[in-house]
Amino acid sequence: MRIGLVTEGGYPYVSGDARLWCDRLVRGLGRHEFDLYALSRTRRQEDEGWLPLPPHVSRVRTAPLWTAEEDGARYGRRARRRFAESYGELAGVLCAGPGPNGTEDSHGSAGDSHGSTGAEGPGAAGGSGAGPGSLADRFGSALHGLAELARDEGGLVGALRSDTAVRALERACRAPGALGTAREARVPDLLAVAAHLERALRPLSLDWYGDDGLGAADLCHATAGGPAALAGLLAGHFSGVPLLVTEYGMRLRSHYLASGPDVAAPAVRALLAAFHRRLAAEVYRRAAIITPGNAHTRRWQERCGADRARIRTVHPGMEAARFTEVGEAPDRADPDTLVWVGRIEPAKDLVSLLHAFAEVRKEEPKTRLRVVGVPAGPEGEAYLGHCRALAAQLFPDEAEGVHAVGDNPVAFEEIGGPEAPTLADAYASGAVVVLSSVVEGFPVGLVEAMFCGRATVSTDVGAVVEVIGGTGLVVPPRNPRALAEACVALLRDSER
């Protein structure tokens, strides 16, 4: 079998998401041929290079999500009309309000209000629709129309950035029956939505879908929702390639949590939430098989319209040996140290962790905190800088006496440094491993910490409770006081 494996921000790059399980998957299926299609998130990720690949990986094709250059194509009258029709249809679906009975009909969907769901419940994420002319059909047709235009004429990046796109959004927002929130959109809001859609739709412009690419695969396996799955949809549309989608975390939920009222105006949040809901529903409607990595993700998928008959929950396999050796040597842990390990980004909520640690220090002044990880792209770099500044503010360099040099109790480190040469060494250095996230899929770090025999304190997000199975302490997310109390409870009870 020839498998087209589509990844976003990870494999085969040495940094990013899904590297380990994708590598195990490819190496474990040595009887099959793999072609890799990798979407990178940052220039740094590309510069760091790839993991070693086994011989049955026939080729690797890459494309950046962090940038897109216009190809110089200029549309004639017919191409401009095709773009206006397809993009206008897309905008119309995103702006559509509820039908006469408050349910989805050929003109609207009751699930398109701009209020997001709760932090952990799937909520009314919106169904996929079924009837002729439904919003689901219109959304899919609009995507296909834009992709066909890109294949036939090129120039889609420039068109998505054009005034034509902004005017189409404005017309849809002002149309009779549009969402009330969408009707409130002003020019800056429309520009923000158009820019986001241009980034989200970049896979439509790729040259991956012909007989020399994904079109030649027997199976397309998207290792995430969003852009990777969008590429899989196009392989199915152009060449009839069946799609398998694996998700360990819900992109839709991550979008909800990242788009709070302090981030964007209500109209922007409403339209972008509608887009991501529609894309998720379209992916689940078209996928032959959906493999969530945990029950938490499965519940979200079902609420977004995924057919239970096509869902198979597959927890990720993990190699324990390098971690369990640490578990056999518990004396390596510093009894006064808390450890956090992971990718540094806002979803990990290190700000709450730092505030919680300030409370821990009031109760246990000798405690130290090690933050071990690398920033996830430019956003992660900015967030790391913010966290460093906050740590310096909360914990001015302290000294035991007037003749000693001050020292901050919070250390920011990366794997490979002298204090943490390996991932197992990082977990081993502390008595308690802490997870402070507001968004998680399958929390691999918790499993690795347990392999190391370390106690854990974690927020109740994603598959955390499913993973720890009654061990460790679990607290609500964004609650520094609860996080601090749980850490102090374990620090004061070495036997526990």
Side-chain angles (χ1 to χ4, degrees), residues 150-211:
R151 180 191 58 181
D152 297 341
E153 306 283 349
L156 185 60
V157 172
L160 291 171
R161 294 172 174 172
S162 68
D163 292 341
T164 301
V166 178
R167 288 196 294 269
L169 281 171
E170 184 176 26
R171 285 194 297 272
C173 289
R174 309 291 185 255
L179 277 173
T181 312
R183 288 198 295 271
E184 298 172 0
R186 299 295 180 259
V187 171
D189 302 329
L190 297 171
L191 292 172
V193 172
H196 183 98
L197 292 180
E198 185 273 315
R199 291 190 296 271
L201 296 176
R202 284 173 183 172
L204 300 184
S205 300
L206 299 177
D207 60 350
W208 287 359
Y209 311 113
D211 292 339

Side-chain angles (χ1 to χ4, degrees), residues 47-60:
D47 292 343
E48 288 175 343
W50 300 345
L51 295 168
L53 299 176
H56 58 284
V57 173
S58 300
R59 61 178 171 179
V60 180

Side-chain angles (χ1 to χ4, degrees), residues 252-481:
L252 176 60
R253 180 176 172 275
S254 298
H255 170 78
Y256 283 155
L257 289 171
S259 302
D262 57 334
V263 175
V268 176
R269 288 164 30 226
L271 294 174
L272 296 187
F275 171 78
H276 288 283
R277 278 198 302 272
R278 291 294 166 196
L279 179 57
E282 182 71 7
V283 168
Y284 300 146
R285 185 165 73 135
R286 301 298 182 187
I289 293 292
I290 304 163
T291 54
N294 52 75
H296 176 262
T297 298
R298 177 175 183 145
R299 289 194 295 271
W300 273 82
Q301 291 171 337
E302 290 179 356
R303 291 298 295 271
C304 289
D307 181 0
R308 290 186 178 184
R310 290 183 283 118
I311 300 178
R312 308 285 188 273
T313 303
V314 181
H315 293 97
M318 296 179 62
E319 187 177 350
R322 60 183 173 141
F323 300 106
T324 53
E325 292 177 2
V326 169
E328 298 299 323
D331 56 313
R332 293 175 60 180
D334 182 334
D336 298 318
T337 296
L338 305 176
V339 178
W340 180 96
V341 180
R343 291 193 322 276
I344 297 175
E345 57 188 343
K348 303 304 182 182
D349 199 12
L350 291 177
V351 169
S352 285
L353 175 59
L354 291 170
H355 283 291
F357 184 58
E359 297 298 316
V360 171
R361 291 274 293 182
K362 292 177 184 177
E363 301 295 326
E364 296 292 331
K366 293 183 179 181
T367 309
R368 305 185 69 82
L369 171 64
R370 298 184 66 191
V371 176
V372 185
V374 295
E379 184 183 32
E381 294 276 6
Y383 189 67
L384 174 58
H386 174 68
C387 291
R388 287 183 182 275
L390 179 60
Q393 178 184 350
L394 291 173
F395 313 102
D397 287 353
E398 301 174 4
E400 295 182 0
V402 295
H403 300 295
V405 177
D407 184 26
N408 196 293
V410 180
F412 293 89
E413 307 167 32
E414 294 187 13
I415 299 296
E419 301 299 326
T422 69
L423 195 56
D425 291 322
Y427 293 116
S429 65
V432 179
V433 175
V434 186
L435 180 146
S436 54
S437 303
V438 293
V439 178
E440 279 290 338
F442 188 90
V444 171
L446 282 185
V447 179
E448 292 170 342
M450 291 190 292
F451 281 155
C452 291
R454 295 302 182 260
T456 63
V457 173
S458 49
T459 47
D460 187 6
V461 293
V464 164
V465 173
E466 182 181 352
V467 163
I468 65 174
T471 68
L473 301 184
V474 180
V475 301
R478 291 198 175 105
N479 190 329
R481 178 174 296 180

Side-chain angles (χ1 to χ4, degrees), residues 74-85 149 164:
R74 293 294 178 261
Y75 287 166
R77 181 180 300 175
R78 183 169 177 271
R80 289 197 301 269
R81 184 168 59 250
R82 288 176 65 185
F83 175 77
E85 289 175 353
L149 178 62
T164 301

